[in-house]
Amino acid sequence: MRRPIIAGNWKMNKTSSEGVELTKAIVGLGKGLDGVDIVIAPPFTSLAAVCSTVKDSPIKVAGQNIFWEKSGAYTGEISADMLGEIGCSHVIIGHSERRQFFGETDEMVNKKISAAFSAGLLPIVCVGETLEQREAGRAKDIIKGQIVNGFKGFDNSAASKIIIAYEPIWAIGTGKTATSDEANEMHAYIRSLLTDLFGAALAKKINILYGGSVKPSNSNELLSKEDIDGVLVGGASLDADSFISIAKSALNR
Ligand code: PEP
């Protein structure tokens, strides 16, 4: 059985002091939630303070992005080693907002995943189609391209550390959610792609999270589906009560 992962992507929200307050509330409310991994992804400026706030708790911390080089003249970028050293265990890679606003391609995603592995970080790799692509019947082709190109060149030992987040772009921050059946169908398809790439035994172990307007009112239904192994939450992760209530729905699986 895959252990569910509930990840919160704070995006460009919360100053460092606000982030510490939110983290303290999450740590407090999250006490005793043993059957689930909770990961929070604050902005870079809050990471060090949030990492020290979660130190004695099971809550894990992710960066929202990394650059693929280890160091050097790359103004404004952050390396995987830098995140690892301050206590991050995870990193979000290829979020649709990075692909849309910062021109990230599958090739760049592939290099960032490699960099994450080199630093011992677990990558949460985001894939998803636009509404236009879905309506044109191209959703599965788009996801296949993102998975096949994003995961090119990884052996099974590396692939076992990948976490995938399926986030249909039309559902992110819009209040529209894929139905649990639509989401589960895509998750099962992603698992079939992983089976082709890495074999059935490994594909069964990889966590596939759903993201896109997840909130306490729909998380139970989404997380009841066989291939939905957790959620990546944006807006609702900025409120400790909502975020932890979503995390609790993973315990009913
Ligand atoms: C996200 O940013 O990954 C996301 C899913 O956002 P929201 O939950 O706000 O739709």
Side-chain angles (χ1 to χ4, degrees), residues 9-253:
N9 174 14
W10 295 3
K11 310 194 189 195
M12 196 174 73
N13 293 295
K14 304 288 177 193
T15 62
S16 187
S17 56
E18 289 167 349
V20 167
E21 284 315 299
L22 175 56
T23 305
K24 283 182 184 162
I26 291 171
V27 168
L29 292 169
K31 277 203 179 106
L33 284 187
D34 292 333
V36 50
D37 280 342
I38 297 178
V39 184
I40 51 179
F44 287 134
T45 49
S46 320
L47 277 174
V50 166
C51 283
S52 60
T53 307
V54 300
K55 209 161 35 78
D56 299 317
S57 84
I59 311 272
K60 299 179 168 73
V61 181
Q64 295 178 15
N65 181 35
I66 42 167
F67 189 53
W68 55 80
E69 295 291 346
K70 275 185 151 314
S71 61
Y74 304 104
T75 303
E77 294 296 326
I78 301 281
S79 75
D81 286 337
M82 291 171 182
L83 294 191
E85 201 221 48
I86 59 167
C88 292
S89 51
H90 293 65
V91 60
I92 298 173
I93 293 179
H95 190 280
S96 63
E97 287 151 15
R98 302 247 14 123
R99 295 179 189 256
Q100 185 184 346
F101 301 126
F102 303 98
E104 283 195 9
T105 62
D106 294 333
E107 290 66 34
M108 291 158 82
V109 165
N110 183 267
K111 289 201 235 179
K112 290 182 178 201
I113 299 172
S114 284
F117 286 148
S118 309
L121 296 177
L122 300 174
I124 302 175
V125 183
C126 302
V127 297
E129 81 286 358
T130 63
L131 186 57
E132 201 183 15
Q133 290 162 341
R134 174 162 278 255
E135 286 176 349
R138 295 175 53 221
K140 285 188 174 160
D141 282 350
I142 297 295
I143 301 301
K144 182 173 183 180
Q146 291 173 345
I147 298 270
V148 171
N149 295 319
F151 297 161
K152 208 172 262 172
F154 297 127
D155 61 17
N156 278 32
S157 127
S160 67
K161 301 188 184 83
I162 288 169
I163 299 160
I164 296 174
Y166 167 59
E167 301 204 302
I169 295 168
W170 47 272
I172 297 182
T174 58
K176 286 186 200 148
T177 327
T179 65
S180 55
D181 285 334
E182 278 170 340
N184 194 56
E185 184 190 337
M186 189 60 93
H187 284 221
Y189 175 66
I190 291 172
R191 208 173 301 287
S192 76
L193 295 172
L194 296 172
T195 302
D196 294 345
L197 290 173
F198 305 116
L202 183 57
K204 278 195 193 118
K205 292 190 186 145
I206 296 180
N207 277 69
I208 307 175
L209 318 185
Y210 170 79
S213 298
V214 175
K215 30 191 187 292
S217 57
N218 58 23
S219 55
N220 258 317
E221 167 68 18
L222 287 160
L223 286 161
S224 69
K225 296 291 172 183
E226 188 183 338
D227 278 300
I228 302 184
D229 309 314
V231 285
L232 177 54
V233 187
S237 71
L238 296 172
D239 178 83
D241 288 306
S242 299
F243 185 56
I244 293 301
S245 128
I246 292 169
K248 283 184 180 158
S249 26
L251 300 176
N252 306 330
R253 278 168 66 80

